[in-house]
Amino acid sequence: QAKVGGRNQARFYDCSMSRDLVRRREIEAELRAAIQRDELSIFFQPIVDLETGRIRTFEALVRWFHPEKGELRPDEFIPVAEETGVIVTLGNWITKQAARAAATWPEDVTLAVNLSPLQIRAPGAAIGILAAIREAGLAPERLELEVTESLFLDDSESTGAFIEELSAVGVRFALDDFGTGYSSLGYINKFPFSKIKVDRSFVSGPKVGRKSDAIIRAVAEMGARLDMAIVAEGLETIEQVRAVSAAGCTLGQGYYFSRAVPDYLAALLLAQERNPKGVNRAAVG
Ligand code: C2E
Ligand code: MG
Ligand code: MG
Ligand code: MG
């Protein structure tokens, strides 16, 4: 009796495990083709100056509109792309597409692109990124690469060379999801980050309170002293915006301002912000 129950349970687990595995295998197989089939697209989420409300940067976030599976989130397919090495091809494509859009924006608006550790360690990574922005006509000073602390867990030599090579020509670096990984001050001391993005778990959710507020204040204070901008991620309410501003963050990102939008809407947001009347006329006429 117990044996039957046990077997059924085992079968149940096997089934759900293999369903997961099947889905991963499918994603893996389809990811390469997805680029050619035009199923992937780059969306852009504004990063806003908390004092003026103006858009300073757009972060490129990849989206996959699968014909059968619907919209797949990057959290589902980026890890598969990393495991299989497809991330290198995918990453080059993302940088190229994003840079093309960014080249059409006003010159004071910058582009942020997320990089996986694997992409950075691939041979010729720095050259690939420079080629992508050169082809698109985007100045290196307008590109900001977002990396997470996991990048520094091993192989810091090639990582250091990558960051130095790109920094030397004006590309900037942001430390993403700060506070979720090892948050070692050693990385901040060693590498030339111009921005720190405080993870959204410090802004909303069960871990938010006096302690998280004090941590944001301390990070903002450090940012001010080191000439680094501090971005608060995941701002969804005006209360959160006020709290992080009061804590000393200078930039903000989150649904309160805008979700990630397609390139034509990003361009429209910029146009609206710069010349509201002109855009309204154009829309009406
Ligand atoms: P990330 O770089 O930390 O990007 C921010 C994520 O938070 C995005 O999710 C964004 O849509 C989401 N977000 C922004 N504002 C809010 C908010 O107010 N509330 C909530 N709940 N979420 C908010 P997304 O687009 O699903 O991306 C997830 C992660 O996938 C990214 O985290 C990044 O690590 C990775 N990713 C996305 N695009 C790329 C890419 O092109 N290349 C690489 N290597 N990784 C990417
Ligand atoms: Mg990011
Ligand atoms: Mg982040
Ligand atoms: Mg993240």
Side-chain angles (χ1 to χ4, degrees):
Q1 188 191 25
K3 215 172 157 191
V4 172
R7 213 171 37 224
N8 281 345
Q9 206 163 23
R11 262 219 306 274
F12 172 76
Y13 282 125
D14 281 348
C15 232
S16 67
M17 252 162 54
S18 67
R19 231 185 289 127
D20 264 17
L21 199 68
V22 166
R23 190 174 166 93
R24 280 176 93 81
R25 289 265 159 78
E26 281 173 2
I27 288 175
E28 176 183 341
E30 290 171 312
L31 195 49
R32 287 172 206 271
I35 300 177
Q36 263 80 47
R37 290 201 204 114
D38 228 19
E39 291 170 14
L40 295 173
S41 133
I42 311 299
F43 275 40
F44 299 92
Q45 188 181 30
I47 299 175
V48 167
D49 186 320
L50 288 175
E51 204 160 311
T52 63
R54 280 171 77 94
I55 297 169
R56 295 270 299 273
T57 304
F58 275 108
E59 177 175 5
L61 295 163
V62 65
R63 297 284 178 263
W64 183 358
F65 299 96
H66 192 284
E68 284 110 38
K69 294 188 179 73
E71 184 182 335
L72 296 173
R73 303 290 293 188
D75 284 332
E76 186 167 19
F77 64 87
I78 291 285
V80 179
E82 284 171 340
E83 277 164 32
T84 54
V86 182
I87 191 68
V88 177
T89 313
L90 179 61
N92 286 337
W93 181 84
I94 290 167
T95 308
K96 219 171 271 179
Q97 296 298 310
R100 274 183 199 155
T104 69
W105 304 335
E107 274 183 13
D108 57 339
V109 179
T110 56
L111 168 71
V113 175
N114 293 285
L115 290 188
S116 319
L118 226 114
Q119 251 177 291
I120 293 172
R121 288 181 203 133
I127 292 169
I129 284 165
L130 291 177
I133 59 170
R134 193 176 310 123
E135 192 189 293
L138 188 76
E141 292 77 17
R142 291 180 63 196
L143 179 68
E144 191 170 82
L145 299 174
E146 296 195 359
V147 301
T148 57
E149 294 157 325
S150 64
L151 174 64
F152 303 107
L153 285 184
D154 46 59
D155 194 20
S156 69
E157 220 168 281
S158 68
T159 299
F162 175 88
I163 293 179
E164 241 127 75
E165 191 174 343
L166 289 175
S167 293
V169 297
V171 174
R172 280 183 276 239
F173 284 86
L175 191 51
D176 203 357
D177 301 347
F178 186 72
T180 57
Y182 292 82
S183 306
S184 162
L185 299 181
Y187 311 137
I188 293 171
N189 194 26
K190 188 166 174 194
F191 300 107
F193 290 109
S194 61
K195 206 179 259 185
I196 290 180
K197 301 185 77 177
V198 178
D199 191 70
R200 71 163 182 267
S201 56
F202 290 87
V203 169
S204 68
K207 291 276 183 312
V208 167
R210 268 194 45 201
K211 265 167 115 180
S212 61
D213 188 64
I215 292 170
I216 296 180
R217 276 173 201 272
V219 174
E221 168 86 23
M222 176 179 77
R225 286 176 190 268
L226 294 175
D227 217 10
M228 291 183 303
I230 305 300
V231 189
E233 294 188 298
L235 298 174
E236 295 185 358
T237 67
I238 183 68
E239 289 78 18
Q240 290 166 352
V241 172
R242 290 202 183 110
V244 298
S245 297
C249 295
T250 52
L251 298 171
Q253 178 177 13
Y255 298 162
Y256 175 76
F257 298 109
S258 171
R259 290 184 180 252
V261 296
D263 56 1
Y264 62 91
L265 282 183
L268 190 67
L269 285 177
L270 289 172
Q272 230 157 18
E273 176 179 272
R274 272 143 222 263
N275 187 5
K277 281 184 186 152
V279 170
N280 285 341
R281 254 203 314 277
V284 172

